[in-house]
Amino acid sequence: MTPSFARPLILLALVLGGCAPPAVAAPAPGAAPTAHRGDRIAITFVSDRQHNGPSRWFDSLNRPRQQTDTVLPAQSSTTRLWTSSLVYTAQRPAQRLTSTFTTGGGFARCVVLVNDKVRDAKTVAGKGARVTCAPG
């Protein structure tokens, strides 16, 4: 059974597909949030496997959320990579954007967009790789 908070991940998966922008530099630790109340946030996870390990993010109210088994429902016909996105509108003055994803295969990518602009994108390769996006 899919947890209720995981359902939005399926919603935008078909819209963004397997597309992900190029990686950008990581922010310094403790960097200030880069999103604010009313901003549209999109967090995308990508893997070479449909069934994956844990994922973590902050919801629209800055509450930490996690999913133990992350299933990515959409597969790109060109890249053969699996993907899913969570999209929401920030409800707090300073929105935390850090997200983490662990692949069940050998490829993990996360992408964080704020108002359709890439704020961070990371890719890690290796068995059971874990990737963290932390826009600053």
Side-chain angles (χ1 to χ4, degrees):
M1 180 172 171
T2 303
S4 62
F5 62 83
R7 289 187 190 120
L9 286 174
I10 297 169
L11 176 64
L12 193 63
L14 298 175
V15 175
L16 292 180
C19 301
V24 294
T34 57
H36 306 284
R37 181 179 289 131
D39 285 344
R40 182 178 177 270
I41 312 301
I43 300 169
T44 301
F45 297 131
V46 183
S47 176
D48 57 337
R49 297 287 187 262
Q50 183 178 22
H51 297 273
N52 297 279
S55 58
R56 294 179 177 83
W57 66 93
F58 290 90
D59 70 9
S60 66
L61 297 173
N62 270 341
R63 297 175 298 202
R65 298 294 185 181
Q66 67 179 7
Q67 188 169 326
T68 304
D69 300 310
T70 307
V71 178
L72 307 180
Q75 186 180 38
S76 166
S77 60
T78 55
T79 65
R80 307 301 296 160
L81 295 174
W82 294 88
T83 185
S84 187
S85 296
L86 170 67
V87 179
Y88 61 87
T89 301
Q91 302 298 311
R92 296 289 186 222
Q95 180 66 43
R96 296 182 71 178
L97 299 173
T98 302
S99 60
T100 302
F101 169 69
T102 303
T103 183
F107 179 90
R109 176 182 293 152
C110 62
V111 181
V112 176
L113 287 86
V114 177
N115 298 324
D116 298 320
K117 293 182 182 174
V118 177
R119 292 301 171 98
D120 201 7
K122 298 277 188 329
T123 301
V124 178
K127 185 176 181 180
R130 184 176 76 185
V131 64
T132 298
C133 281

PDB file of all heavy atoms in Angstrom, residues 58-76:
ATOM      1  N   PHE A  58      11.462  17.563   2.779  1.00  0.00           N
ATOM      2  CA  PHE A  58      10.630  18.410   3.645  1.00  0.00           C
ATOM      3  C   PHE A  58       9.362  18.762   2.887  1.00  0.00           C
ATOM      4  O   PHE A  58       9.421  19.129   1.717  1.00  0.00           O
ATOM      5  CB  PHE A  58      11.376  19.684   4.044  1.00  0.00           C
ATOM      6  CG  PHE A  58      12.504  19.417   4.991  1.00  0.00           C
ATOM      7  CD1 PHE A  58      13.777  19.152   4.509  1.00  0.00           C
ATOM      8  CD2 PHE A  58      12.289  19.399   6.354  1.00  0.00           C
ATOM      9  CE1 PHE A  58      14.819  18.884   5.372  1.00  0.00           C
ATOM     10  CE2 PHE A  58      13.327  19.122   7.232  1.00  0.00           C
ATOM     11  CZ  PHE A  58      14.605  18.865   6.737  1.00  0.00           C
ATOM     12  N   ASP A  59       8.211  18.659   3.566  1.00  0.00           N
ATOM     13  CA  ASP A  59       6.938  18.957   2.902  1.00  0.00           C
ATOM     14  C   ASP A  59       6.677  20.453   2.872  1.00  0.00           C
ATOM     15  O   ASP A  59       7.528  21.261   3.272  1.00  0.00           O
ATOM     16  CB  ASP A  59       5.791  18.165   3.547  1.00  0.00           C
ATOM     17  CG  ASP A  59       5.422  18.629   4.945  1.00  0.00           C
ATOM     18  OD1 ASP A  59       5.913  19.684   5.420  1.00  0.00           O
ATOM     19  OD2 ASP A  59       4.627  17.924   5.590  1.00  0.00           O
ATOM     20  N   SER A  60       5.508  20.852   2.414  1.00  0.00           N
ATOM     21  CA  SER A  60       5.176  22.270   2.235  1.00  0.00           C
ATOM     22  C   SER A  60       5.145  23.056   3.542  1.00  0.00           C
ATOM     23  O   SER A  60       5.225  24.277   3.526  1.00  0.00           O
ATOM     24  CB  SER A  60       3.831  22.411   1.528  1.00  0.00           C
ATOM     25  OG  SER A  60       2.791  21.933   2.357  1.00  0.00           O
ATOM     26  N   LEU A  61       5.044  22.352   4.669  1.00  0.00           N
ATOM     27  CA  LEU A  61       5.052  23.006   5.982  1.00  0.00           C
ATOM     28  C   LEU A  61       6.390  22.829   6.701  1.00  0.00           C
ATOM     29  O   LEU A  61       6.477  23.021   7.903  1.00  0.00           O
ATOM     30  CB  LEU A  61       3.907  22.451   6.841  1.00  0.00           C
ATOM     31  CG  LEU A  61       2.514  22.717   6.283  1.00  0.00           C
ATOM     32  CD1 LEU A  61       1.463  21.979   7.104  1.00  0.00           C
ATOM     33  CD2 LEU A  61       2.223  24.205   6.239  1.00  0.00           C
ATOM     34  N   ASN A  62       7.429  22.450   5.949  1.00  0.00           N
ATOM     35  CA  ASN A  62       8.783  22.232   6.474  1.00  0.00           C
ATOM     36  C   ASN A  62       8.890  21.055   7.435  1.00  0.00           C
ATOM     37  O   ASN A  62       9.816  20.984   8.236  1.00  0.00           O
ATOM     38  CB  ASN A  62       9.345  23.492   7.132  1.00  0.00           C
ATOM     39  CG  ASN A  62      10.095  24.352   6.156  1.00  0.00           C
ATOM     40  OD1 ASN A  62      10.507  23.907   5.096  1.00  0.00           O
ATOM     41  ND2 ASN A  62      10.283  25.606   6.504  1.00  0.00           N
ATOM     42  N   ARG A  63       7.952  20.133   7.361  1.00  0.00           N
ATOM     43  CA  ARG A  63       8.042  18.930   8.190  1.00  0.00           C
ATOM     44  C   ARG A  63       8.873  17.886   7.463  1.00  0.00           C
ATOM     45  O   ARG A  63       8.671  17.670   6.267  1.00  0.00           O
ATOM     46  CB  ARG A  63       6.655  18.362   8.481  1.00  0.00           C
ATOM     47  CG  ARG A  63       5.778  19.310   9.284  1.00  0.00           C
ATOM     48  CD  ARG A  63       4.390  18.751   9.423  1.00  0.00           C
ATOM     49  NE  ARG A  63       3.790  18.626   8.082  1.00  0.00           N
ATOM     50  CZ  ARG A  63       2.490  18.567   7.856  1.00  0.00           C
ATOM     51  NH1 ARG A  63       1.637  18.575   8.844  1.00  0.00           N
ATOM     52  NH2 ARG A  63       2.033  18.458   6.616  1.00  0.00           N
ATOM     53  N   PRO A  64       9.790  17.210   8.169  1.00  0.00           N
ATOM     54  CA  PRO A  64      10.554  16.150   7.517  1.00  0.00           C
ATOM     55  C   PRO A  64       9.641  14.973   7.177  1.00  0.00           C
ATOM     56  O   PRO A  64       8.799  14.579   7.979  1.00  0.00           O
ATOM     57  CB  PRO A  64      11.606  15.761   8.558  1.00  0.00           C
ATOM     58  CG  PRO A  64      11.085  16.262   9.855  1.00  0.00           C
ATOM     59  CD  PRO A  64      10.162  17.396   9.564  1.00  0.00           C
ATOM     60  N   ARG A  65       9.817  14.433   5.985  1.00  0.00           N
ATOM     61  CA  ARG A  65       9.042  13.284   5.518  1.00  0.00           C
ATOM     62  C   ARG A  65      10.013  12.237   5.013  1.00  0.00           C
ATOM     63  O   ARG A  65      11.117  12.557   4.565  1.00  0.00           O
ATOM     64  CB  ARG A  65       8.094  13.676   4.388  1.00  0.00           C
ATOM     65  CG  ARG A  65       7.064  14.695   4.791  1.00  0.00           C
ATOM     66  CD  ARG A  65       6.123  14.122   5.791  1.00  0.00           C
ATOM     67  NE  ARG A  65       5.071  15.067   6.093  1.00  0.00           N
ATOM     68  CZ  ARG A  65       4.129  14.827   6.958  1.00  0.00           C
ATOM     69  NH1 ARG A  65       4.090  13.685   7.615  1.00  0.00           N
ATOM     70  NH2 ARG A  65       3.195  15.723   7.192  1.00  0.00           N
ATOM     71  N   GLN A  66       9.568  10.985   5.061  1.00  0.00           N
ATOM     72  CA  GLN A  66      10.395   9.918   4.516  1.00  0.00           C
ATOM     73  C   GLN A  66       9.534   8.797   3.983  1.00  0.00           C
ATOM     74  O   GLN A  66       8.382   8.641   4.379  1.00  0.00           O
ATOM     75  CB  GLN A  66      11.373   9.393   5.552  1.00  0.00           C
ATOM     76  CG  GLN A  66      10.719   8.674   6.717  1.00  0.00           C
ATOM     77  CD  GLN A  66      11.775   8.169   7.696  1.00  0.00           C
ATOM     78  OE1 GLN A  66      12.951   8.459   7.580  1.00  0.00           O
ATOM     79  NE2 GLN A  66      11.339   7.411   8.677  1.00  0.00           N
ATOM     80  N   GLN A  67      10.119   8.046   3.088  1.00  0.00           N
ATOM     81  CA  GLN A  67       9.471   6.878   2.519  1.00  0.00           C
ATOM     82  C   GLN A  67      10.525   5.777   2.535  1.00  0.00           C
ATOM     83  O   GLN A  67      11.616   5.949   1.988  1.00  0.00           O
ATOM     84  CB  GLN A  67       9.013   7.199   1.101  1.00  0.00           C
ATOM     85  CG  GLN A  67       8.168   6.144   0.478  1.00  0.00           C
ATOM     86  CD  GLN A  67       7.542   6.658  -0.823  1.00  0.00           C
ATOM     87  OE1 GLN A  67       7.214   7.825  -0.960  1.00  0.00           O
ATOM     88  NE2 GLN A  67       7.390   5.756  -1.768  1.00  0.00           N
ATOM     89  N   THR A  68      10.222   4.652   3.159  1.00  0.00           N
ATOM     90  CA  THR A  68      11.193   3.571   3.303  1.00  0.00           C
ATOM     91  C   THR A  68      11.502   2.899   1.976  1.00  0.00           C
ATOM     92  O   THR A  68      12.663   2.690   1.628  1.00  0.00           O
ATOM     93  CB  THR A  68      10.683   2.526   4.319  1.00  0.00           C
ATOM     94  OG1 THR A  68      10.408   3.197   5.542  1.00  0.00           O
ATOM     95  CG2 THR A  68      11.711   1.451   4.562  1.00  0.00           C
ATOM     96  N   ASP A  69      10.483   2.548   1.236  1.00  0.00           N
ATOM     97  CA  ASP A  69      10.631   1.911  -0.071  1.00  0.00           C
ATOM     98  C   ASP A  69      10.089   2.875  -1.122  1.00  0.00           C
ATOM     99  O   ASP A  69       8.882   3.084  -1.199  1.00  0.00           O
ATOM    100  CB  ASP A  69       9.871   0.588  -0.131  1.00  0.00           C
ATOM    101  CG  ASP A  69      10.383  -0.398   0.909  1.00  0.00           C
ATOM    102  OD1 ASP A  69      11.606  -0.597   0.974  1.00  0.00           O
ATOM    103  OD2 ASP A  69       9.554  -0.948   1.661  1.00  0.00           O
ATOM    104  N   THR A  70      10.977   3.435  -1.915  1.00  0.00           N
ATOM    105  CA  THR A  70      10.577   4.425  -2.910  1.00  0.00           C
ATOM    106  C   THR A  70      10.392   3.757  -4.267  1.00  0.00           C
ATOM    107  O   THR A  70      11.346   3.243  -4.844  1.00  0.00           O
ATOM    108  CB  THR A  70      11.639   5.534  -3.011  1.00  0.00           C
ATOM    109  OG1 THR A  70      11.881   6.057  -1.703  1.00  0.00           O
ATOM    110  CG2 THR A  70      11.174   6.647  -3.925  1.00  0.00           C
ATOM    111  N   VAL A  71       9.163   3.750  -4.740  1.00  0.00           N
ATOM    112  CA  VAL A  71       8.840   3.174  -6.043  1.00  0.00           C
ATOM    113  C   VAL A  71       8.684   4.324  -7.035  1.00  0.00           C
ATOM    114  O   VAL A  71       7.914   5.249  -6.807  1.00  0.00           O
ATOM    115  CB  VAL A  71       7.542   2.332  -5.977  1.00  0.00           C
ATOM    116  CG1 VAL A  71       7.203   1.790  -7.363  1.00  0.00           C
ATOM    117  CG2 VAL A  71       7.693   1.216  -4.964  1.00  0.00           C
ATOM    118  N   LEU A  72       9.416   4.248  -8.135  1.00  0.00           N
ATOM    119  CA  LEU A  72       9.349   5.266  -9.176  1.00  0.00           C
ATOM    120  C   LEU A  72       8.487   4.709 -10.314  1.00  0.00           C
ATOM    121  O   LEU A  72       8.861   3.732 -10.955  1.00  0.00           O
ATOM    122  CB  LEU A  72      10.757   5.607  -9.678  1.00  0.00           C
ATOM    123  CG  LEU A  72      11.766   5.986  -8.585  1.00  0.00           C
ATOM    124  CD1 LEU A  72      13.123   6.303  -9.202  1.00  0.00           C
ATOM    125  CD2 LEU A  72      11.264   7.138  -7.736  1.00  0.00           C
ATOM    126  N   PRO A  73       7.311   5.290 -10.554  1.00  0.00           N
ATOM    127  CA  PRO A  73       6.329   4.675 -11.449  1.00  0.00           C
ATOM    128  C   PRO A  73       6.517   4.874 -12.948  1.00  0.00           C
ATOM    129  O   PRO A  73       5.940   4.136 -13.731  1.00  0.00           O
ATOM    130  CB  PRO A  73       5.025   5.321 -11.002  1.00  0.00           C
ATOM    131  CG  PRO A  73       5.446   6.660 -10.502  1.00  0.00           C
ATOM    132  CD  PRO A  73       6.787   6.457  -9.873  1.00  0.00           C
ATOM    133  N   ALA A  74       7.311   5.861 -13.364  1.00  0.00           N
ATOM    134  CA  ALA A  74       7.399   6.158 -14.793  1.00  0.00           C
ATOM    135  C   ALA A  74       8.793   5.848 -15.334  1.00  0.00           C
ATOM    136  O   ALA A  74       9.793   6.233 -14.732  1.00  0.00           O
ATOM    137  CB  ALA A  74       7.061   7.617 -15.051  1.00  0.00           C
ATOM    138  N   GLN A  75       8.833   5.177 -16.479  1.00  0.00           N
ATOM    139  CA  GLN A  75      10.107   4.866 -17.106  1.00  0.00           C
ATOM    140  C   GLN A  75      10.218   5.583 -18.447  1.00  0.00           C
ATOM    141  O   GLN A  75       9.305   5.528 -19.271  1.00  0.00           O
ATOM    142  CB  GLN A  75      10.281   3.366 -17.319  1.00  0.00           C
ATOM    143  CG  GLN A  75      11.662   3.000 -17.830  1.00  0.00           C
ATOM    144  CD  GLN A  75      11.841   1.513 -18.035  1.00  0.00           C
ATOM    145  OE1 GLN A  75      10.932   0.816 -18.479  1.00  0.00           O
ATOM    146  NE2 GLN A  75      13.020   1.018 -17.709  1.00  0.00           N
ATOM    147  N   SER A  76      11.345   6.254 -18.661  1.00  0.00           N
ATOM    148  CA  SER A  76      11.598   6.931 -19.932  1.00  0.00           C
ATOM    149  C   SER A  76      11.894   5.895 -21.012  1.00  0.00           C
ATOM    150  O   SER A  76      12.710   4.996 -20.809  1.00  0.00           O
ATOM    151  CB  SER A  76      12.799   7.875 -19.787  1.00  0.00           C
ATOM    152  OG  SER A  76      13.244   8.292 -21.053  1.00  0.00           O
TER     153      SER A  76
END
